[in-house]
Amino acid sequence: MRRIPIRTSQRIELIDITARVQEAAQGTKVSGVCLVFCPHTTAGLTINENADPSVVHDMRAALSKLIPENAGYRHAEGNSDSHIKSSLFGSSVSVILENGLLMLGSWQAIYFCESDGPRQREVWVTVTGE
């Protein structure tokens, strides 16, 4: 398993970590599956388009509109919206590997989805296969 450190700078932020995950997996030369896991309850992971930056902008705007920061939640820490947002994304993504290369579609990227930043975070990467 490899750990990838991530420093976020905004409360809600989507960071393309594809190249860093590829670097972690590439040394394996394995054909199998690359699992990327987020060990944080107020952050998550997703795979989405990386060609047009307005997609990330639109996702951030939609998250803020659908799950506002201050909506009378009960959680005492004041970050209930962050927990809800991270649950929508999920805590992991799996990508097929062929000879150590991530087999993503033409426009796909792996995004770390911060919902309670800025913070120092990390994701864990492991590879299984032949």
Side-chain angles (χ1 to χ4, degrees), residues 15-18 21 36 45-48 93 95 102 104 108-112:
I15 300 170
D16 183 346
I17 61 168
T18 310
V21 173
V36 186
L45 296 161
T46 194
I47 295 175
N48 213 306
V93 294
V95 180
L102 296 171
L104 291 165
Q108 289 183 319
I110 302 168
Y111 286 95
F112 180 82

Side-chain angles (χ1 to χ4, degrees), residues 37-56:
F37 178 77
C38 174
H40 308 287
T41 60
T42 56
L45 296 161
T46 194
I47 295 175
N48 213 306
E49 181 178 330
N50 70 344
D52 183 352
S54 57
V55 170
V56 168

Side-chain angles (χ1 to χ4, degrees), residues 15-108:
I15 300 170
D16 183 346
I17 61 168
T18 310
R20 297 174 74 189
V21 173
Q22 178 61 71
E23 183 180 314
Q26 195 161 348
T28 65
K29 301 295 184 205
V30 168
S31 292
V33 176
C34 177
L35 175 68
V36 186
F37 178 77
C38 174
H40 308 287
T41 60
T42 56
L45 296 161
T46 194
I47 295 175
N48 213 306
E49 181 178 330
N50 70 344
D52 183 352
S54 57
V55 170
V56 168
H57 174 272
D58 293 345
M59 289 176 68
R60 289 179 58 209
L63 284 169
S64 294
K65 184 177 179 180
L66 291 170
I67 309 161
E69 184 175 349
N70 299 310
Y73 305 109
R74 291 185 182 184
H75 183 47
E77 291 181 46
N79 63 353
S80 280
D81 65 303
S82 302
H83 290 286
I84 297 166
K85 290 168 184 158
S86 70
S87 289
L88 288 178
F89 284 115
S91 60
S92 66
V93 294
S94 297
V95 180
I96 295 170
L97 277 180
E98 180 138 342
N99 296 319
L101 297 176
L102 296 171
M103 301 303 292
L104 291 165
S106 298
W107 310 112
Q108 289 183 319

Side-chain angles (χ1 to χ4, degrees), residues 8-19:
T8 65
S9 60
Q10 301 173 41
R11 186 156 198 284
I12 301 173
E13 185 174 8
L14 278 77
I15 300 170
D16 183 346
I17 61 168
T18 310

